[in-house]
Amino acid sequence: MNRTNHTMHIREGVVLGADKPVLFSGPCAVESYDICIEIGSKVKSWADQYGFSYVFKASFDKANRTSSGSFRSIGMDKSLEVLERVGKTLNVPLVTDIHESYQAAEVAEVVDVLQIPAFLCRQTDLLLAAGQTGKAVKIKRGQFMAPEDMQYAVTKVRSTGNENVCLTERGFSLGYHNLVVDMRGLPIMRQFAPVVFDITHSVQQPGGQGGSSGGQREFAPILARAAAATGIDGFFIETHPEPAKALSDGPNLIPLHRMGDFLNMLKEAWLLGRKFQDFAVE
């Protein structure tokens, strides 16, 4: 399958789709500065060690939680202040989600990449608002979307004149409380834009614990290696020093103390995938 050599420029020296994989990683949500800087510092060190470009990730608002009683945010202003401080302290780019069109411009003043949640990947006004900021736009493929149909979301962003856009895979809904990753979707989507694999949410069980989502993190290394072997451009991993105490998505999170080994494994699989990425049977 032929691939167009798309790239997404995040910051000088940080390019998705180039010769170095990009790692988007951090806690699921902004819980506090202390948690964010602890995670960001350690992950950055490992990313540097194993040859990843690093983008710190944390959501300023979890607007799509299963239950209204679940943690959402410490507040937009406070969360953005934490993100900005982490970015400056570590000298790394930042990515966070936006859920409403009006959020795009304000959030873009702080972060380098605007992430579009999977459930919102068809929202035209949201995609246009994100593209109009001029910042890189990272679109998650909806659990209900065919891979080839994600080209239209990419086109919406590019219609603003913004070419810096990528797609993210996070699994298909199969029945209730279950996601399955179709690895064919990765090369299909790479025809339209660089592709990131969301390791964390591909092992999620949406709503699988009643009012909150469950997860099967034991399958994360298996799916991560499989996706890396397709030769994709980057990886999305959420982590926490104590996943059981995380305020969001704890069952899916990679324990922070395992992240170094995880990235070492991932880089080896990615190098192998890149070596054979042009092999095809017509």
Side-chain angles (χ1 to χ4, degrees):
M1 180 176 292
N2 294 325
R3 173 188 178 248
T4 303
N5 290 318
H6 298 292
T7 57
M8 184 177 85
H9 291 258
I10 298 170
R11 181 185 286 187
E12 185 176 356
V14 183
V15 180
L16 186 68
D19 295 329
K20 191 175 183 179
V22 176
L23 173 68
F24 302 84
S25 185
C28 181
V30 176
E31 298 181 10
S32 68
Y33 173 75
D34 289 342
I35 286 289
C36 287
I37 198 65
E38 177 186 358
I39 294 172
S41 297
K42 291 181 178 179
V43 174
K44 182 180 186 297
S45 176
W46 286 316
D48 290 343
Q49 179 179 351
Y50 295 114
F52 291 83
S53 294
Y54 179 47
V55 180
F56 178 81
K57 181 272 167 185
S59 297
F60 75 84
D61 179 25
K62 301 302 296 182
N64 53 0
R65 296 302 302 272
T66 304
S67 169
S68 62
S70 297
F71 170 81
R72 276 191 60 169
S73 175
I74 60 173
M76 183 174 183
D77 291 342
K78 189 173 181 180
S79 293
L80 291 178
E81 288 174 6
V82 169
L83 286 171
E84 186 171 29
R85 187 177 172 192
V86 170
K88 289 181 177 178
T89 300
L90 299 180
N91 191 28
V92 295
L94 304 167
V95 58
T96 196
D97 307 85
I98 57 172
H99 298 85
E100 304 282 353
S101 301
Y102 73 83
Q103 296 171 340
E106 182 175 356
V107 175
E109 293 180 3
V110 175
V111 308
D112 304 87
V113 183
L114 299 173
Q115 180 166 272
I116 307 299
F119 288 133
L120 302 178
C121 69
R122 289 179 54 146
Q123 296 298 105
T124 301
D125 290 345
L126 183 63
L127 291 166
L128 294 179
Q132 287 164 357
T133 67
K135 294 297 181 77
V137 181
K138 180 176 178 292
I139 311 170
K140 288 195 174 186
R141 185 191 60 75
Q143 300 91 324
F144 47 86
M145 291 285 289
E148 59 269 23
D149 290 341
M150 290 305 295
Q151 64 181 298
Y152 304 111
V154 171
T155 299
K156 289 177 183 179
V157 173
R158 289 183 176 152
S159 73
T160 68
N162 186 345
E163 295 291 325
N164 286 318
V165 57
C166 73
L167 294 170
T168 299
E169 171 59 41
R170 50 102 7 108
F172 294 83
S173 293
L174 181 65
Y176 302 116
H177 309 315
N178 193 41
L179 297 172
V180 173
V181 177
D182 180 356
M183 293 296 167
R184 297 173 299 180
L186 300 174
I188 290 172
M189 292 194 298
R190 281 185 94 220
Q191 297 175 98
F192 317 124
V195 169
V196 174
F197 182 60
D198 181 345
I199 296 166
T200 298
H201 295 98
S202 292
V203 298
Q204 186 185 58
Q205 294 175 309
Q209 293 185 346
S212 63
S213 293
Q216 296 175 304
R217 75 165 64 92
E218 65 270 25
F219 293 116
I222 297 167
L223 292 180
R225 290 195 300 268
T230 68
I232 56 172
D233 307 291
F235 303 91
F236 178 101
I237 312 173
E238 291 178 346
T239 182
H240 196 279
E242 296 183 88
K245 295 182 179 180
L247 298 181
S248 178
D249 269 348
N252 315 320
L253 306 182
I254 302 299
L256 182 60
H257 73 276
R258 296 302 310 277
M259 277 292 289
D261 291 338
F262 199 99
L263 292 180
N264 184 22
M265 171 200 71
L266 198 56
K267 183 62 180 296
E268 291 298 317
W270 184 84
L271 289 171
L272 183 63
R274 279 298 174 105
K275 181 178 179 180
F276 293 104
Q277 69 173 334
D278 294 326
F279 180 85
V281 179
E282 299 297 337

